[in-house]
Amino acid sequence: MSLFPKRAPPASGLGTALPRAAACFTTPAMTRRAADWLGNLGGCRPLGILSDDCDDVVWQCTAEKADLLLLELDFSNGVEDKDVSARCDIAIEVRRRLPECKVYLACEDGCLEKLPALDKAVELALIDGYCVGSITPQQMRTWLNEAAEAMHRRESRRDWTCRQDVLSDE
């Protein structure tokens, strides 16, 4: 008997792979809460990355083949490793290894002075988007759908490459 029974897949997800969604927030407790929220939301296979060290996040995203990475920003005084620049550094490294991985940033209300930096990060394609304030289920589903589309495009290219290899062997 399991204390944590597996959740049945959503009816629309039968027979189709769900995107792997990784969450990395400023504290392990918030990361666990975000991963649980993603799991309850459905439409993805959630993963909580408890360390927010750049190398750890990159390694775990690569090992788990993440399709989406959600990073929390922290603009508290004296916290430099969780600001826009540091989070973009993580995004760049993750994308270097997983080019199709969608990366989104989440930050609290009240950081209006950071909006130009966030907009510039999107403009430069360092990240795919951001949310200021609470992430709504609708917003998260939109991001998950974008990740699922990228995942399916990647799988289609891989299938095509395999077919090309088979045809060239004949």
Side-chain angles (χ1 to χ4, degrees), residues 36-52:
D36 287 346
W37 183 75
L38 286 167
N40 291 332
L41 186 63
C44 70
R45 296 174 296 144
L47 163 71
I49 301 177
L50 299 179
S51 169
D52 62 358

Side-chain angles (χ1 to χ4, degrees), residues 84 88 95 103 105 114-130:
V84 177
C88 286
R95 285 216 172 124
V103 181
L105 303 181
K114 301 294 184 180
L115 289 179
L118 291 165
D119 289 336
K120 192 66 170 179
V122 172
E123 180 185 326
L124 296 173
L126 302 176
I127 60 172
D128 293 286
Y130 64 88

Side-chain angles (χ1 to χ4, degrees), residues 83-157:
D83 65 3
V84 177
S85 175
R87 295 310 201 186
C88 286
D89 289 344
I90 293 173
I92 290 166
E93 290 304 315
V94 167
R95 285 216 172 124
R96 205 171 270 155
R97 289 179 180 87
L98 298 168
E100 297 285 332
C101 185
K102 301 288 184 182
V103 181
Y104 300 97
L105 303 181
C107 57
E108 296 176 356
D109 285 327
C111 61
L112 298 179
E113 70 279 359
K114 301 294 184 180
L115 289 179
L118 291 165
D119 289 336
K120 192 66 170 179
V122 172
E123 180 185 326
L124 296 173
L126 302 176
I127 60 172
D128 293 286
Y130 64 88
C131 182
V132 175
S134 297
I135 301 172
T136 65
Q138 180 181 354
Q139 179 64 58
M140 195 67 230
R141 284 189 184 99
T142 299
W143 289 348
L144 287 168
N145 288 339
E146 290 172 7
E149 289 172 12
M151 180 182 77
H152 294 305
R153 280 194 305 272
R154 181 181 66 241
E155 289 172 358
S156 294
R157 279 195 303 274

